[in-house]
Structure formats: C-alpha cells, structure tokens
Amino acid sequence: MPSNNRGRKSTNAGSKSKQKPKAKGKAKAQATEEAGAPTIADGDKASFSFSMSTPGPAPTNPVTPPQRAPPTGYDATPTRLRGKPSTTSAFVFNLGASTSGVAQDENPFVDSSSHPGPPGHADSNRSLQDLSQLASLASDNFKTLTTSTPYATHGAASTMKGQTSKIEGETLAKSIGFAPTSGPLFLRQQKFAQGIQTEAIESWLRSTESDGVYGAAWLVDKSDKTKASFDVVWNLPEVASEEKQLYPLLEKIITAISDKFVQPHLGPGISRKLKDTHKESLTHMDGETSTSPDFAVQATGPSFELPYDGKETGYTNITAVFDAKRDKNMIGIGILRQMGVYARQIFAQQPNRIFVRCMVLSEKRAQIVQFDRAGAQYSQFVSLNKEPEMFVRMVIELFGGGSERSIGFDDSISWIIVDGKKDSGTLTFGPPGKEIIYDLIGTRPVSHSFDIRGCATTIWGVTERGGTGESFIVKDSWTENGRTMEHKLLEMMKDVKGVSKMVDFHLRDIKTSDFRCATTVNLFTDRQASRLIMEAHGRSIEDGFSDPVEVLHALSDILVAHFQVYGKNILHRNITNKTVFLGSLDAPVGFRGVLTGFEGALNFHPKSGDTTISKEARLGTRFFQSYMILRFLSGLGVGEAPPHDHMDDLECVFNLVCFLFFTRRPDGKPRDKKDKARNMVRGWDSDSPEDALAFKSALFNPASGQKEAAIKLVSQSWGMACGALFKAFWEWVYGIQQRKGEILRRYMEEQEIEQAMMITELKRRMKGKNSQQNGVGEQGGCVATSRPDGEIEEGGKNSAADEDEEDGEDEVFAVLQPNAPVPRKEVAFKKGLFAPLMENGMVADHYIRVIHFFITAIAKIQVCPAQNGPPAIDTDRPLKRKREADQLAELKEVVANTCKKFRRSAEEAA
C-alpha cells in the first residue's frame, strides 16, 4: 500500500515563497545512524561530503550490467518544491544570571528573532514555565509505563569482538529468537524458479543429460530398501561417513543444475558460478575476522562488487551459501547459529539486501534457512530423492538467475560496475508512476546497521537529478507493527529546532510477511519498509568539529531539542556518536546541533502513542548505554528491566561527552592510540554487557581514583572549562545512579521479604494439612464425601482436592529442598520503578541542570579563552615522532653495519 505525502501542504508545510534560505555549510553535510544500532559501518566518508556538484559521467567503456530505465512517470519537480516541514520554533528559554557572559544570539535558549528582549524577558520565563509544565505532564504519562522494549544482550558490532564464530552464532541465534518452520506449501507458493517449467526439469531428470549426477546407475551400491523405494537417485552416499565426503559430489550436482537452468538465461554483465569455499577465508566487514562456508555462489551484477580485500570471492559478491552436513547433524538450532554468521555478513556487505536465503544439504535432505528483518524462518525438509524437482528449483532460486529482487535485493538501488567495482549508483524514490531518481553520493551508505532482526536502518547520501542538484539524506528502515512510524514522529516534532527535518516520505509496499509463509504470520513480528528523504545534516560530531565551543554548542542545542521532544511524549532512546550531528557552519542558534535517529523512539502518549510494547529485543551501542541498563542486561537487576527513561538518555549524552573528551583532541583530530586518555573509556564498547559494565563502573568508583584522573586529563587537553563541565556532569550522573540504585535496593529487599512471607505461609498451610490428616487417621476410619457428580468417594477428599493438595505439597517440598530454585513472584510494578525521580518538576530540573553545565562552560571559554580554553596543540608531534623513529632506524643501521665490519675484520684476522 504505497503512500506518499508529496504536495500535502498540511504535512510538509511551507510553499516556495516561504522556504528557508539554504545554509552555506550544506556542502559538508553528513547523515545519521539507526536505533539500536548497532555498531555502524561508516561508508565512504572521503567521497561522501555532500558536494553540490552532480557526479560526473562514468568512465569510458565500463562493464555495465543492465540498469533500470527511468520510469515513465518520472517526476522532475525539485524535492524542495514538493513541500517541507516547518522549522519555526516557539521555544524560548532563560537561565537568568547563569548565562552571563554569553551573548543573546549565542544563547541556545533564546530565539532572538521572535523574542528580541533580554534573557530575563517575561516571555522567556513564561516559555520555560510552559515547557516545564509539558515535561511534568509527559512524565506523569511515562510513570505509568512499567516495561518497555528490552535491549538485546549481544552487541551491535560487525563481528563480536574477541569472540569465536561459534560464540557469535550462539549470540545471534538468541537475538533472532524463535524461528518458525514454514508450511508444506511455502516453497511452491514462493514460486521458486517460476520461469522454469516443471516439464523442463522433469525431462532433464529423465534424460541421459543428467546421468552424471542423477539416474538409475547410482542405485547399484544402495541398500535393498533404497532400491525398492526409488527407481533413480542422486549420486550421493546412502549414509555419509564424514562431511567432506559430500563436498565433491554436491559441487558436481549443483553445478550441473546451474549449467542447465541458470547459465543459459543470464543476461549481459550477469554471471553466477558455484565456488568451493570450505578452504577459503571470506573476510568479515571488520577486515580482521573471516569465515568459510562450504560453497558460495559467486556473482556479478548491479548489486555485486569484488571484495574489499582484493580476493576473488567474498561476502560482497555472493548470492547465497550452501553448507553440507551429515544427515544426523541436520539440527535446527545448530544450523541457525552457523548460517546466521554468514547471513549477517551478507547483509553487512550488501547494504541493499532485504532478505538472505541459505541452503543446508545432507546426503538425504535439503532445507532453506531464510533471514530477514523479522528474524529467521526454516523451510520444511525436502527429500532429495522423493522431491528432486523441488530440490532443483531451490538450487536455481538461490543462484538468482531471475531478478535481483527474487533473491532478496532492493532493486530500487543499483550501481554501474566498472572493473568489478561499484562506480556510481542511483536510488529511486516514490510509488510506481511517481518515482524520482536520485544519484547516490559515493558507492556505499553513509551508515548501515549490522543487525539481522530489527530496524536495519541504512542511510544514503543523494543528490537530485533534473532538479536543484541539492543534497539530501535518504533513510531506509523497517518498523514493526504497533509502533509509531518515524515519519509521524518527525511530523509531530516539525516545530522543534535541533531535530532532523523530513522533506518527504514513502511507506513502501514491502513487508517481511510478503516473503514469509502465511501459516507463520502469528509467530513473528511483522515489519514494514519505509523510506524518508531528509534535509542533509551537518558534519559528524565525532570528526567534524575544530574547537570545543563548536561541540558544546551542538550538545546544548540537542539537549534543548530533547527536552522539547520529551514534552511531546516522545523519548529518543538511542543517543550515540552516530545520531548527533553538528549543524552547518553558519547554523543559527538551535540548529548548531542536530538530533537524528528516531526510528527506535518511544511514543508514550496515553492516547495516540505506541499501541503495544514489543518484547523483541533491540540493539544498542554498548559504549553509550547507561549504567542501569547495563546492570539489568548483566542480570544484576530484578525481573524485567524498567523502561528506558529520560535519565538514561541524559546519561547517554554524558557517555558521548566521554567519547569526545577521551578519544578526540579539542581540534577534532583523533587522539593517538597510545594516548593514556583512551584508557578512561577502554572496554566501554565491549560486546558483553558484563564487561562493559565492569569497565564503566571503574569511572564511577570513588576508590578507583579514575574520576580525578579523568578531570585532570580533560582540563589539561580540553581546557579548565571543559574539565569543570565534566566534573559537574559526572557528579549529576553519579547522583542519579546512586538514587536509582537505592530505589532498586529497597525494591529487592521488599521482594525478599514477600518471598520469605510466602514460604512461611506455605509451611503453615502444610503443617495444618498434616494435622488434619493425622486427626483423620487417629479416628481409624474413612469419611465418605459426596463428589460433584453425585457419586460417593472414600478418603475424605474429592479427587480435585487431592490434586490441589498434592500441588501444594510439591510446591512446599520444592521450597524446602536445599538445591531447589525458590519460586519467585513475578515482578509487576504498579508504576515505573524509578517514578519517584520524576515527581514534582524533577524532570525539568534534570534537563535544566545538565544544559546549565554546557552554558556555563561556553560562557567561561568566551569570557576568558586563554585561561579556560584548550592549550595550544603541538601539531608537529607526529612529525617529531616520525623524525625520532627515522633517527632510531638510522642508528640501528649504523650499529648493524659496524657489527658486520667488525665480524669481517675478525674473520680476516683469523
């Protein structure tokens, strides 16, 4: 059900006459990151600078696979003229004397265009009062939440750091969750190899052409039972003695099917070839680890390119993988773990993938495992000898001899391939008949999620064709049913400064249920694809700044934006270095920082908010997760974790500050890898929540001395003002952690008391029942009672009562056993566990205090930059280090030559 809002002035407010002048710094804009995310693949940053020039023509004589022709309904209207959200803000904020030293036009809380008065203007105070009231009302709504979407216990890096592929597979299987098995008609309903007639396959199987792999001749060495069951069979052992015995036989079978039904139908520039890769290493996205599927289908076409490491075959240019196993090892969870690692790398290195299908083969059966943004699904096992025609179709489908969409590609994105590499590409936006063609900036996405199940946000930089040539961001993501779509959230926030601005959106007619079995729709969370066009953001906050004030301005602006968004009953929940951007170089107050990545945001409005709380775990970036979230992920909490709240988001901002202070210099350059400042955040990005919590706890342990050392390091490199900001922010975060810890401690004590009281009550009941039974026994007779059906039963109790008492006895007996697990009462909060920290205007106080830290630091630097700003950076240090290394190398060479001369002289003397 395609939908589009182009031309709806009520949605994308603003006509041509009211458009905002383009910012001069637009040429350096960059894009955003997704929720949960997962550790991000930063694309071609060098090539992605949002230059206003349109990419030039392709080199002469390129190897050009077939490209999609421009649609007949091509819309040449410039994107800007189709309407855009309003950027007008009604927010005015005053901190009174705390902003002294900051010019009014530098104060992020005062809109000088609409309120030209001084910081103490009455309108400013009234606006602050209104915003605080909205935040209080929002917190009243939020306090009623007792649970929210849980976080995944695995990290979001392209490969689990420090873990083997086996452990990575186990972790991925946990994140994917339950994988249903399709119904018996799924493979037929999906119309595998629909261009191939059944008669053509059966004719080939009957002919002598297939005798090398399939025929009666291969029955000779089979058992009598097999001979009685089949007239013809595949050239495979009846029972494989070892897995490698299957490799050459399966390769011959699959290649024969490909030669007959795939190769003759391939167009120019398209190729498919089965490669035995069980001894090759296919490099992962991180460039360090690798895995070896048994077979891979090497391919060329508009979505494939040669691997980054220069090898012939890699995850960048394969359609699917085949894996051979002995039939007794065809176990579901083991298959999911192994195939999940391969599928994840295909998703990571082929960014326009919608789903990935892999095949597992034994000497008897075949099964397809499909991975998509809803998780995974198994097909039913197909008997190779009973259903040879279906097996052939499965092989053809995984080769992808038909359209790229049939093997899981989003063919609205395609590239021109030159010398095996992607050279330039296009992206098509909009429903059929109303498509707009954009040129991709660079060949890789600006950011790309590595997770299989989830939003899977991918960001593309584009320039407009046939229009203004302006640069935009295109954001692809998948939203689960019951959640507020991101374009609706952005529409709700269109009047908030410092939030990414939507230009257009398209709800795509693609759902994960489209390529799932109809019998499993109730066994997974369906997701719908959407595509947004957004204004190009500024530079990346992690490597786009040149002085501390620029960073402080950006963070103060996004904090104000976050405050306003919270007042609209929306919580971001994913503040990272990939979702916070600097504004353009001449951005006005309020736009000096841009907050993006709302695809995972929570709409907690009681009436129009999210209708369901998903139990599907979402990814998060360990480095930026709050202490309390990591504590629950590590199993140190009680029951289900309470909802991610605004305090967690503010702590994420603190973690972002730590990231910048300890991994970057004040001029924006990365610190040296041996810089001791990096030790302050070492291990924060560990994939294990236990490890990340342990490393992060060291900074907040008063006895460790890390706090004082961190303040000293920040003050020495970023300046005294930033050192004071870090100290104040640390103390605020530490105070919140202590208050939350105390609330959690009291709650756990209450749970233990309730547990003890429950056990005592069970013991008392058991003792009373034993006394009654003893009393009956002493009377020496049986008491006849009437059963509900009118029959008389001996024994003094009816059967139902017997069962109840037996259950009670079993429960008490289990409690009294020393090694038995104590039955725990299900945790159910009447209101949010940390609701006491959101009472009586505390939410507004939290925001104002944190924002005040940044305003104070800015004021100090602007009033006295020599004293409070960063010291001069010795830019020649790398050159000096190189000169020293060169001198040491020369000295070693002189010593080595002297030693050689000495040995030669000694030999001659001898």
Side-chain angles (χ1 to χ4, degrees), residues 777-846:
E778 290 173 359
Q779 293 175 4
C782 294
V783 180
T785 59
S786 175
R787 286 173 50 176
D789 57 9
E791 296 183 10
I792 302 299
E793 179 182 4
E794 294 184 353
K797 301 188 293 285
N798 60 41
S799 58
D802 277 332
E803 292 176 0
D804 289 343
E805 289 196 6
E806 288 174 2
D807 290 343
E809 292 171 8
D810 291 342
E811 189 174 16
V812 173
F813 181 71
V815 170
L816 297 178
Q817 290 184 83
N819 297 323
V822 178
R824 297 193 66 83
K825 185 178 180 181
E826 191 67 28
V827 175
F829 309 124
K830 294 180 180 178
K831 61 180 180 178
L833 180 62
F834 301 127
L837 299 180
M838 305 177 197
E839 306 282 359
N840 303 321
M842 296 177 72
V843 172
D845 180 68
H846 293 159

Side-chain angles (χ1 to χ4, degrees), residues 42 73 79 100 158 231 271 395 415 428 571 650 789 828 844 856 879:
D42 292 327
T79 300
S100 59
S158 59
D231 295 326
S271 69
V395 172
W415 291 266
T428 304
L571 188 65
L650 291 177
D789 57 9
T856 302
L879 296 176

Side-chain angles (χ1 to χ4, degrees), residues 68 405 409-414 426-429 508 531:
R68 293 183 62 191
R405 172 162 288 198
F409 281 101
D410 178 359
D411 57 4
S412 69
I413 302 171
S414 62
T426 59
L427 181 148
T428 304
F429 177 88
R508 308 186 67 190
R531 177 167 283 171

Side-chain angles (χ1 to χ4, degrees), residues 500-785:
S500 53
K501 300 304 176 185
M502 179 179 66
V503 176
D504 205 350
F505 73 91
H506 175 211
L507 290 184
R508 308 186 67 190
D509 193 18
I510 306 174
K511 292 185 176 182
T512 51
S513 55
D514 295 341
F515 29 88
R516 287 286 190 109
C517 180
T519 62
T520 66
V521 291
N522 295 323
L523 302 178
F524 65 92
T525 303
D526 199 9
R527 289 181 176 271
Q528 181 171 8
S530 65
R531 177 167 283 171
L532 304 180
I533 295 184
M534 304 167 73
E535 292 184 0
H537 309 132
R539 299 143 291 152
S540 169
I541 195 168
E542 61 181 313
D543 54 17
F545 65 92
S546 57
D547 66 83
V549 173
E550 195 174 5
V551 172
L552 301 181
H553 274 151
L555 293 176
S556 63
D557 279 3
I558 69 104
L559 282 167
V560 173
H562 195 284
F563 191 9
Q564 288 184 270
V565 168
Y566 185 84
K568 294 178 178 290
N569 294 277
I570 300 171
L571 188 65
H572 189 280
R573 304 194 303 178
N574 188 41
I575 295 178
T576 71
N577 60 322
K578 303 297 183 180
T579 58
V580 176
F581 286 79
L582 301 173
S584 55
L585 294 176
D586 57 351
V589 175
F591 291 100
R592 296 169 299 188
V594 181
L595 184 60
T596 68
F598 284 90
E599 62 273 22
L602 176 68
N603 179 3
F604 57 91
H605 193 282
K607 294 183 179 180
S608 61
D610 295 336
T611 57
T612 59
I613 297 297
S614 173
K615 297 302 179 184
E616 181 178 281
R618 59 193 178 95
L619 290 174
T621 307
R622 287 281 178 263
F623 193 105
F624 302 97
Q625 287 177 336
S626 70
Y627 180 90
M628 193 55 62
I629 287 173
L630 290 174
R631 180 170 177 175
F632 272 91
L633 286 175
S634 302
L636 300 179
V638 54
E640 190 173 342
H644 180 124
D645 55 41
H646 74 282
M647 292 170 281
D648 293 309
D649 266 9
L650 291 177
E651 187 172 339
C652 290
V653 176
F654 173 77
N655 294 334
L656 177 57
V657 169
C658 292
F659 174 85
L660 296 171
F661 282 174
F662 299 123
T663 69
R664 297 294 185 271
R665 302 187 322 196
D667 62 351
K669 301 294 189 299
R671 287 183 184 267
D672 189 86
K673 290 186 177 181
K674 296 182 180 180
D675 194 321
K676 60 182 179 181
R678 286 184 176 270
N679 293 332
M680 293 295 166
V681 291
R682 182 175 61 87
W684 283 27
D685 59 348
S686 300
D687 290 296
S688 164
E690 293 82 4
D691 292 344
L693 178 65
F695 283 112
K696 197 167 290 188
S697 297
L699 181 62
F700 292 97
N701 182 359
S704 70
Q706 275 209 22
K707 170 196 171 185
E708 291 73 18
I711 295 172
K712 183 178 180 181
L713 284 169
V714 174
S715 299
Q716 289 176 345
S717 57
W718 282 68
M720 298 300 295
C722 289
L725 179 151
F726 177 84
K727 179 176 182 295
F729 207 166
W730 182 96
E731 291 172 347
W732 183 88
V733 171
Y734 180 73
I736 293 295
Q737 290 177 357
Q738 293 299 302
R739 295 187 190 99
K740 282 189 171 183
E742 179 62 22
I743 291 172
L744 183 60
R745 183 188 63 79
R746 289 201 303 266
Y747 184 81
M748 294 177 70
E749 289 178 353
E750 292 172 0
Q751 292 294 300
E752 291 175 358
I753 293 173
E754 289 184 14
Q755 194 72 26
M757 292 175 64
M758 183 184 73
I759 295 174
T760 303
E761 179 64 18
L762 287 172
K763 288 181 179 179
R764 185 187 65 78
R765 290 181 182 179
M766 187 61 189
K767 184 176 181 181
K769 291 177 182 178
N770 290 337
S771 299
Q772 292 177 2
Q773 291 174 357
N774 292 336
V776 172
E778 290 173 359
Q779 293 175 4
C782 294
V783 180
T785 59

Side-chain angles (χ1 to χ4, degrees), residues 26-43:
K26 192 72 84 173
K28 292 187 178 180
Q30 239 186 12
T32 97
E33 200 317 66
E34 78 136 343
T39 300
I40 299 305
D42 292 327

